[in-house]
Amino acid sequence: AVKYPNYLIYGNNGCLEYNNEKEYDSNPVAPTWKFNSCDSNKSKQQFVSHKIDNLENYNSHIHDNIKENILNDDSNIMFGFNIINPIDDDKKCLQLNNDGISVMPCNLKYDQRFKSSYNTVL
């Protein structure tokens, strides 16, 4: 089932592509991401946005296995931000920091929080 709306992440004259395919032999392969030629029909380039607006919603998206990132109260959180997940891996989040852009296990720290702004591409 395709999720709508889904988004392409533009950069470096291409689109971000997240590859989470498992190898069939005994060697597991870590997920990779890179910019490739844009193809909106390619699921590896499709990302979905989830609005985080309450404590239960916040905690349900933590997938980095660090228990300290689970919150007991919402006193220090400004809700109303979005997280961006690859369409086929909702345990990973788009992350933007000094190292650049990456796709990492969701922890909902500041470098995984985004505000939505919409621009029409002509």
Side-chain angles (χ1 to χ4, degrees), residues 34-57:
K34 61 186 175 190
F35 286 93
N36 269 336
S37 299
C38 294
D39 179 353
S40 60
N41 293 318
K42 204 174 195 181
S43 65
K44 292 178 182 175
Q45 292 184 2
Q46 296 172 356
F47 290 80
V48 291
S49 176
H50 291 101
K51 183 92 160 172
I52 305 299
D53 50 14
N54 62 52
L55 187 65
E56 182 181 354
N57 191 352

PDB file of all heavy atoms in Angstrom, residues 34-57:
ATOM      1  N   LYS A  34      22.180   7.770  -0.546  1.00  0.00           N
ATOM      2  CA  LYS A  34      22.989   8.566  -1.462  1.00  0.00           C
ATOM      3  C   LYS A  34      22.041   9.318  -2.374  1.00  0.00           C
ATOM      4  O   LYS A  34      20.849   9.030  -2.434  1.00  0.00           O
ATOM      5  CB  LYS A  34      23.920   7.674  -2.280  1.00  0.00           C
ATOM      6  CG  LYS A  34      23.186   6.660  -3.148  1.00  0.00           C
ATOM      7  CD  LYS A  34      24.137   5.700  -3.826  1.00  0.00           C
ATOM      8  CE  LYS A  34      23.335   4.641  -4.571  1.00  0.00           C
ATOM      9  NZ  LYS A  34      24.137   3.551  -5.064  1.00  0.00           N
ATOM     10  N   PHE A  35      22.577  10.297  -3.081  1.00  0.00           N
ATOM     11  CA  PHE A  35      21.779  11.034  -4.049  1.00  0.00           C
ATOM     12  C   PHE A  35      21.934  10.392  -5.418  1.00  0.00           C
ATOM     13  O   PHE A  35      23.041  10.098  -5.850  1.00  0.00           O
ATOM     14  CB  PHE A  35      22.204  12.508  -4.095  1.00  0.00           C
ATOM     15  CG  PHE A  35      21.723  13.273  -2.895  1.00  0.00           C
ATOM     16  CD1 PHE A  35      22.518  13.414  -1.777  1.00  0.00           C
ATOM     17  CD2 PHE A  35      20.454  13.819  -2.886  1.00  0.00           C
ATOM     18  CE1 PHE A  35      22.065  14.102  -0.665  1.00  0.00           C
ATOM     19  CE2 PHE A  35      19.987  14.512  -1.776  1.00  0.00           C
ATOM     20  CZ  PHE A  35      20.795  14.658  -0.666  1.00  0.00           C
ATOM     21  N   ASN A  36      20.803  10.128  -6.079  1.00  0.00           N
ATOM     22  CA  ASN A  36      20.771   9.547  -7.407  1.00  0.00           C
ATOM     23  C   ASN A  36      19.850  10.375  -8.291  1.00  0.00           C
ATOM     24  O   ASN A  36      19.133  11.246  -7.797  1.00  0.00           O
ATOM     25  CB  ASN A  36      20.235   8.108  -7.359  1.00  0.00           C
ATOM     26  CG  ASN A  36      21.335   7.086  -7.182  1.00  0.00           C
ATOM     27  OD1 ASN A  36      22.482   7.343  -7.528  1.00  0.00           O
ATOM     28  ND2 ASN A  36      20.986   5.937  -6.640  1.00  0.00           N
ATOM     29  N   SER A  37      19.819  10.068  -9.560  1.00  0.00           N
ATOM     30  CA  SER A  37      18.879  10.726 -10.466  1.00  0.00           C
ATOM     31  C   SER A  37      17.463  10.539  -9.937  1.00  0.00           C
ATOM     32  O   SER A  37      17.091   9.447  -9.509  1.00  0.00           O
ATOM     33  CB  SER A  37      18.972  10.134 -11.873  1.00  0.00           C
ATOM     34  OG  SER A  37      20.258  10.330 -12.390  1.00  0.00           O
ATOM     35  N   CYS A  38      16.683  11.609  -9.977  1.00  0.00           N
ATOM     36  CA  CYS A  38      15.331  11.570  -9.415  1.00  0.00           C
ATOM     37  C   CYS A  38      14.395  10.704 -10.244  1.00  0.00           C
ATOM     38  O   CYS A  38      14.396  10.775 -11.470  1.00  0.00           O
ATOM     39  CB  CYS A  38      14.757  12.983  -9.327  1.00  0.00           C
ATOM     40  SG  CYS A  38      15.634  14.032  -8.157  1.00  0.00           S
ATOM     41  N   ASP A  39      13.628   9.882  -9.550  1.00  0.00           N
ATOM     42  CA  ASP A  39      12.588   9.064 -10.165  1.00  0.00           C
ATOM     43  C   ASP A  39      11.470   8.935  -9.140  1.00  0.00           C
ATOM     44  O   ASP A  39      11.562   8.148  -8.201  1.00  0.00           O
ATOM     45  CB  ASP A  39      13.138   7.691 -10.548  1.00  0.00           C
ATOM     46  CG  ASP A  39      12.078   6.791 -11.172  1.00  0.00           C
ATOM     47  OD1 ASP A  39      10.880   7.170 -11.194  1.00  0.00           O
ATOM     48  OD2 ASP A  39      12.442   5.692 -11.625  1.00  0.00           O
ATOM     49  N   SER A  40      10.407   9.709  -9.324  1.00  0.00           N
ATOM     50  CA  SER A  40       9.341   9.764  -8.317  1.00  0.00           C
ATOM     51  C   SER A  40       8.599   8.438  -8.163  1.00  0.00           C
ATOM     52  O   SER A  40       7.882   8.237  -7.186  1.00  0.00           O
ATOM     53  CB  SER A  40       8.353  10.880  -8.653  1.00  0.00           C
ATOM     54  OG  SER A  40       7.766  10.638  -9.923  1.00  0.00           O
ATOM     55  N   ASN A  41       8.774   7.517  -9.099  1.00  0.00           N
ATOM     56  CA  ASN A  41       8.116   6.211  -8.992  1.00  0.00           C
ATOM     57  C   ASN A  41       8.945   5.201  -8.205  1.00  0.00           C
ATOM     58  O   ASN A  41       8.477   4.096  -7.938  1.00  0.00           O
ATOM     59  CB  ASN A  41       7.828   5.646 -10.385  1.00  0.00           C
ATOM     60  CG  ASN A  41       6.797   6.483 -11.107  1.00  0.00           C
ATOM     61  OD1 ASN A  41       5.813   6.908 -10.510  1.00  0.00           O
ATOM     62  ND2 ASN A  41       7.036   6.750 -12.375  1.00  0.00           N
ATOM     63  N   LYS A  42      10.167   5.556  -7.871  1.00  0.00           N
ATOM     64  CA  LYS A  42      11.071   4.645  -7.171  1.00  0.00           C
ATOM     65  C   LYS A  42      10.819   4.747  -5.670  1.00  0.00           C
ATOM     66  O   LYS A  42      11.031   5.794  -5.066  1.00  0.00           O
ATOM     67  CB  LYS A  42      12.506   5.067  -7.509  1.00  0.00           C
ATOM     68  CG  LYS A  42      13.531   4.012  -7.393  1.00  0.00           C
ATOM     69  CD  LYS A  42      14.847   4.581  -7.917  1.00  0.00           C
ATOM     70  CE  LYS A  42      15.840   3.505  -8.179  1.00  0.00           C
ATOM     71  NZ  LYS A  42      17.107   4.059  -8.656  1.00  0.00           N
ATOM     72  N   SER A  43      10.379   3.644  -5.055  1.00  0.00           N
ATOM     73  CA  SER A  43      10.017   3.708  -3.632  1.00  0.00           C
ATOM     74  C   SER A  43      11.214   4.050  -2.749  1.00  0.00           C
ATOM     75  O   SER A  43      11.051   4.631  -1.677  1.00  0.00           O
ATOM     76  CB  SER A  43       9.373   2.396  -3.173  1.00  0.00           C
ATOM     77  OG  SER A  43      10.297   1.340  -3.244  1.00  0.00           O
ATOM     78  N   LYS A  44      12.428   3.710  -3.183  1.00  0.00           N
ATOM     79  CA  LYS A  44      13.613   4.027  -2.379  1.00  0.00           C
ATOM     80  C   LYS A  44      13.843   5.528  -2.260  1.00  0.00           C
ATOM     81  O   LYS A  44      14.624   5.967  -1.423  1.00  0.00           O
ATOM     82  CB  LYS A  44      14.854   3.375  -2.986  1.00  0.00           C
ATOM     83  CG  LYS A  44      14.842   1.872  -2.893  1.00  0.00           C
ATOM     84  CD  LYS A  44      16.057   1.283  -3.557  1.00  0.00           C
ATOM     85  CE  LYS A  44      15.989  -0.232  -3.502  1.00  0.00           C
ATOM     86  NZ  LYS A  44      17.076  -0.859  -4.219  1.00  0.00           N
ATOM     87  N   GLN A  45      13.206   6.323  -3.129  1.00  0.00           N
ATOM     88  CA  GLN A  45      13.349   7.776  -3.065  1.00  0.00           C
ATOM     89  C   GLN A  45      12.134   8.441  -2.416  1.00  0.00           C
ATOM     90  O   GLN A  45      12.091   9.653  -2.314  1.00  0.00           O
ATOM     91  CB  GLN A  45      13.560   8.347  -4.470  1.00  0.00           C
ATOM     92  CG  GLN A  45      14.888   7.950  -5.068  1.00  0.00           C
ATOM     93  CD  GLN A  45      15.147   8.596  -6.418  1.00  0.00           C
ATOM     94  OE1 GLN A  45      14.350   9.377  -6.925  1.00  0.00           O
ATOM     95  NE2 GLN A  45      16.282   8.267  -7.006  1.00  0.00           N
ATOM     96  N   GLN A  46      11.178   7.666  -1.961  1.00  0.00           N
ATOM     97  CA  GLN A  46       9.963   8.238  -1.385  1.00  0.00           C
ATOM     98  C   GLN A  46      10.076   8.287   0.138  1.00  0.00           C
ATOM     99  O   GLN A  46      10.467   7.314   0.781  1.00  0.00           O
ATOM    100  CB  GLN A  46       8.740   7.419  -1.804  1.00  0.00           C
ATOM    101  CG  GLN A  46       8.497   7.466  -3.293  1.00  0.00           C
ATOM    102  CD  GLN A  46       7.400   6.511  -3.742  1.00  0.00           C
ATOM    103  OE1 GLN A  46       6.855   5.742  -2.968  1.00  0.00           O
ATOM    104  NE2 GLN A  46       7.085   6.565  -5.021  1.00  0.00           N
ATOM    105  N   PHE A  47       9.726   9.446   0.675  1.00  0.00           N
ATOM    106  CA  PHE A  47       9.765   9.677   2.123  1.00  0.00           C
ATOM    107  C   PHE A  47       8.401  10.164   2.567  1.00  0.00           C
ATOM    108  O   PHE A  47       7.673  10.792   1.798  1.00  0.00           O
ATOM    109  CB  PHE A  47      10.841  10.716   2.472  1.00  0.00           C
ATOM    110  CG  PHE A  47      12.240  10.208   2.268  1.00  0.00           C
ATOM    111  CD1 PHE A  47      12.804  10.170   0.998  1.00  0.00           C
ATOM    112  CD2 PHE A  47      12.999   9.757   3.339  1.00  0.00           C
ATOM    113  CE1 PHE A  47      14.092   9.683   0.801  1.00  0.00           C
ATOM    114  CE2 PHE A  47      14.285   9.272   3.152  1.00  0.00           C
ATOM    115  CZ  PHE A  47      14.831   9.238   1.876  1.00  0.00           C
ATOM    116  N   VAL A  48       8.046   9.865   3.810  1.00  0.00           N
ATOM    117  CA  VAL A  48       6.772  10.323   4.360  1.00  0.00           C
ATOM    118  C   VAL A  48       7.038  11.158   5.605  1.00  0.00           C
ATOM    119  O   VAL A  48       8.036  10.974   6.300  1.00  0.00           O
ATOM    120  CB  VAL A  48       5.823   9.141   4.692  1.00  0.00           C
ATOM    121  CG1 VAL A  48       5.347   8.473   3.416  1.00  0.00           C
ATOM    122  CG2 VAL A  48       6.479   8.132   5.599  1.00  0.00           C
ATOM    123  N   SER A  49       6.141  12.075   5.857  1.00  0.00           N
ATOM    124  CA  SER A  49       6.249  12.993   6.983  1.00  0.00           C
ATOM    125  C   SER A  49       5.213  12.607   8.035  1.00  0.00           C
ATOM    126  O   SER A  49       4.064  12.321   7.698  1.00  0.00           O
ATOM    127  CB  SER A  49       5.991  14.414   6.474  1.00  0.00           C
ATOM    128  OG  SER A  49       5.987  15.319   7.532  1.00  0.00           O
ATOM    129  N   HIS A  50       5.631  12.583   9.288  1.00  0.00           N
ATOM    130  CA  HIS A  50       4.711  12.319  10.394  1.00  0.00           C
ATOM    131  C   HIS A  50       4.754  13.486  11.365  1.00  0.00           C
ATOM    132  O   HIS A  50       5.832  13.897  11.795  1.00  0.00           O
ATOM    133  CB  HIS A  50       5.100  11.027  11.136  1.00  0.00           C
ATOM    134  CG  HIS A  50       4.885   9.796  10.334  1.00  0.00           C
ATOM    135  ND1 HIS A  50       5.890   9.131   9.681  1.00  0.00           N
ATOM    136  CD2 HIS A  50       3.752   9.121  10.062  1.00  0.00           C
ATOM    137  CE1 HIS A  50       5.390   8.094   9.038  1.00  0.00           C
ATOM    138  NE2 HIS A  50       4.094   8.066   9.252  1.00  0.00           N
ATOM    139  N   LYS A  51       3.587  14.002  11.694  1.00  0.00           N
ATOM    140  CA  LYS A  51       3.469  15.102  12.657  1.00  0.00           C
ATOM    141  C   LYS A  51       3.576  14.532  14.072  1.00  0.00           C
ATOM    142  O   LYS A  51       2.905  13.564  14.404  1.00  0.00           O
ATOM    143  CB  LYS A  51       2.116  15.790  12.470  1.00  0.00           C
ATOM    144  CG  LYS A  51       1.922  16.983  13.357  1.00  0.00           C
ATOM    145  CD  LYS A  51       2.359  18.214  12.652  1.00  0.00           C
ATOM    146  CE  LYS A  51       1.763  19.446  13.277  1.00  0.00           C
ATOM    147  NZ  LYS A  51       2.352  20.637  12.698  1.00  0.00           N
ATOM    148  N   ILE A  52       4.441  15.138  14.871  1.00  0.00           N
ATOM    149  CA  ILE A  52       4.606  14.734  16.270  1.00  0.00           C
ATOM    150  C   ILE A  52       3.983  15.826  17.128  1.00  0.00           C
ATOM    151  O   ILE A  52       4.493  16.942  17.206  1.00  0.00           O
ATOM    152  CB  ILE A  52       6.104  14.549  16.626  1.00  0.00           C
ATOM    153  CG1 ILE A  52       6.778  13.561  15.668  1.00  0.00           C
ATOM    154  CG2 ILE A  52       6.253  14.106  18.080  1.00  0.00           C
ATOM    155  CD1 ILE A  52       6.199  12.167  15.674  1.00  0.00           C
ATOM    156  N   ASP A  53       2.842  15.509  17.745  1.00  0.00           N
ATOM    157  CA  ASP A  53       2.119  16.558  18.460  1.00  0.00           C
ATOM    158  C   ASP A  53       1.684  16.180  19.873  1.00  0.00           C
ATOM    159  O   ASP A  53       0.967  16.929  20.510  1.00  0.00           O
ATOM    160  CB  ASP A  53       0.913  17.024  17.637  1.00  0.00           C
ATOM    161  CG  ASP A  53       0.063  15.857  17.156  1.00  0.00           C
ATOM    162  OD1 ASP A  53       0.243  14.731  17.660  1.00  0.00           O
ATOM    163  OD2 ASP A  53      -0.781  16.077  16.279  1.00  0.00           O
ATOM    164  N   ASN A  54       2.139  15.017  20.369  1.00  0.00           N
ATOM    165  CA  ASN A  54       1.860  14.689  21.769  1.00  0.00           C
ATOM    166  C   ASN A  54       2.860  13.646  22.262  1.00  0.00           C
ATOM    167  O   ASN A  54       3.609  13.068  21.476  1.00  0.00           O
ATOM    168  CB  ASN A  54       0.409  14.222  21.968  1.00  0.00           C
ATOM    169  CG  ASN A  54       0.098  12.956  21.207  1.00  0.00           C
ATOM    170  OD1 ASN A  54       0.810  11.951  21.311  1.00  0.00           O
ATOM    171  ND2 ASN A  54      -0.971  12.983  20.413  1.00  0.00           N
ATOM    172  N   LEU A  55       2.877  13.437  23.565  1.00  0.00           N
ATOM    173  CA  LEU A  55       3.872  12.567  24.196  1.00  0.00           C
ATOM    174  C   LEU A  55       3.776  11.119  23.711  1.00  0.00           C
ATOM    175  O   LEU A  55       4.780  10.493  23.399  1.00  0.00           O
ATOM    176  CB  LEU A  55       3.707  12.629  25.721  1.00  0.00           C
ATOM    177  CG  LEU A  55       4.767  11.900  26.546  1.00  0.00           C
ATOM    178  CD1 LEU A  55       6.129  12.545  26.352  1.00  0.00           C
ATOM    179  CD2 LEU A  55       4.373  11.899  28.015  1.00  0.00           C
ATOM    180  N   GLU A  56       2.565  10.597  23.618  1.00  0.00           N
ATOM    181  CA  GLU A  56       2.384   9.207  23.182  1.00  0.00           C
ATOM    182  C   GLU A  56       2.895   9.022  21.751  1.00  0.00           C
ATOM    183  O   GLU A  56       3.595   8.051  21.445  1.00  0.00           O
ATOM    184  CB  GLU A  56       0.900   8.841  23.275  1.00  0.00           C
ATOM    185  CG  GLU A  56       0.610   7.415  22.897  1.00  0.00           C
ATOM    186  CD  GLU A  56      -0.881   7.094  22.968  1.00  0.00           C
ATOM    187  OE1 GLU A  56      -1.675   7.941  23.426  1.00  0.00           O
ATOM    188  OE2 GLU A  56      -1.235   5.980  22.559  1.00  0.00           O
ATOM    189  N   ASN A  57       2.563   9.972  20.890  1.00  0.00           N
ATOM    190  CA  ASN A  57       3.006   9.958  19.496  1.00  0.00           C
ATOM    191  C   ASN A  57       4.537  10.041  19.440  1.00  0.00           C
ATOM    192  O   ASN A  57       5.189   9.316  18.686  1.00  0.00           O
ATOM    193  CB  ASN A  57       2.345  11.146  18.787  1.00  0.00           C
ATOM    194  CG  ASN A  57       2.500  11.105  17.298  1.00  0.00           C
ATOM    195  OD1 ASN A  57       3.209  10.291  16.751  1.00  0.00           O
ATOM    196  ND2 ASN A  57       1.833  12.019  16.641  1.00  0.00           N
TER     197      ASN A  57
END
